[in-house]
Amino acid sequence: MKRSEINAIIEGAQAFFSEQGFHLPEWAFWNPEQWAAHKNGCKEIFDCKLGWDITDFGSGRFETRGLTLFTLRNGLEGSYAKPYAEKIMVVGEEQETPFHFHWNKMEDIINRGGGKLAFELYMSDAQDGFSTQSVTVSVDGVQRVLEAGERLVLDPGSSLSLPQRLYHRFFAVKGYGKVMCGEVSMVNDDDSDNRFKEELGRFPAIEEDVPPTRLMVGDYRRFA
């Protein structure tokens, strides 16, 4: 991805969160110079990888396969005792987050506002493939039984609980607008706890065509 594209995506996400009445912490708006000036007090942010995370999953097609995330809080075993994490995300119309599961993390995904959020779900089998068995999930505390791969749509305000090893992909339904998507979960580890159904890249290669206006979690070491 080009840095100019990432800068524009973050600017658009900030505007969308503001439109939806969701407020980010002050440091979400810092430029690289501000990060450098404050870095001595930001060890928890750096260590727990809080902040902006833009990915196209290695597709080169962010608009159709990508995700905009901001990690608000997270823990780290042995250093930060929080057993939980929280993210806020922007999901575009028909912008897919591809099938994956987590070995350790259980999470709730919440439609916080905007359009309709669609999921497709499969249980994993012993070889980490798709199972044909039905899927039982909790939607706002109500049990739902779905056929393997059946589509589930969440309106604003609704949430879905995802246990470990449950394959899921999601996207905003065309014609209803993008979605402000929340995640409340156990501690998040994007380096080792994501199992994608197909081989792909979780973090994008970046072409530095312009300087960054905001830093992503992968930028802290280089720029801050």
Side-chain angles (χ1 to χ4, degrees), residues 11-165:
E11 183 179 355
Q14 289 175 167
F16 182 56
F17 291 148
S18 180
E19 291 168 7
Q20 295 294 319
F22 190 93
H23 301 283
L24 297 170
E26 177 186 1
W27 51 265
F29 303 91
W30 285 354
N31 60 35
E33 291 75 23
Q34 289 171 301
W35 277 109
H38 290 88
K39 65 182 179 182
N40 290 337
C42 297
K43 190 173 188 301
E44 182 177 347
I45 294 174
F46 300 151
D47 290 350
C48 294
K49 298 182 178 179
L50 308 183
W52 292 106
D53 176 8
I54 312 300
T55 183
D56 63 358
F57 301 103
S59 68
R61 298 178 287 105
F62 175 80
E63 295 298 326
T64 56
R65 176 173 271 197
L67 188 61
T68 301
L69 311 95
F70 189 94
T71 301
L72 293 149
R73 59 202 91 250
N74 197 16
L76 183 66
E77 185 176 356
S79 301
Y80 303 95
K82 295 176 183 177
Y84 54 84
E86 181 186 5
K87 297 180 182 180
I88 192 72
M89 300 173 279
V90 180
V91 183
E93 291 189 22
E94 296 192 312
Q95 183 188 42
E96 175 199 29
T97 292
F99 279 112
H100 66 288
F101 70 63
H102 309 290
W103 282 283
N104 298 312
K105 183 176 76 171
M106 185 175 183
E107 59 188 338
D108 279 16
I109 304 294
I110 310 105
N111 185 337
R112 294 286 192 192
K116 295 176 179 286
L117 186 63
F119 288 83
E120 293 172 1
L121 308 170
Y122 287 89
M123 298 293 292
S124 57
D125 61 23
Q127 290 74 42
D128 291 339
F130 284 165
S131 170
T132 58
Q133 70 183 94
S134 61
V135 177
T136 301
V137 291
S138 174
V139 178
D140 300 323
V142 179
Q143 182 174 289
R144 293 279 302 273
V145 180
L146 307 170
E147 296 300 317
E150 183 179 348
R151 183 168 297 182
L152 173 69
V153 177
L154 300 182
D155 290 324
S158 290
S159 64
L160 170 65
S161 294
L162 295 166
Q164 296 93 339
R165 295 186 59 85

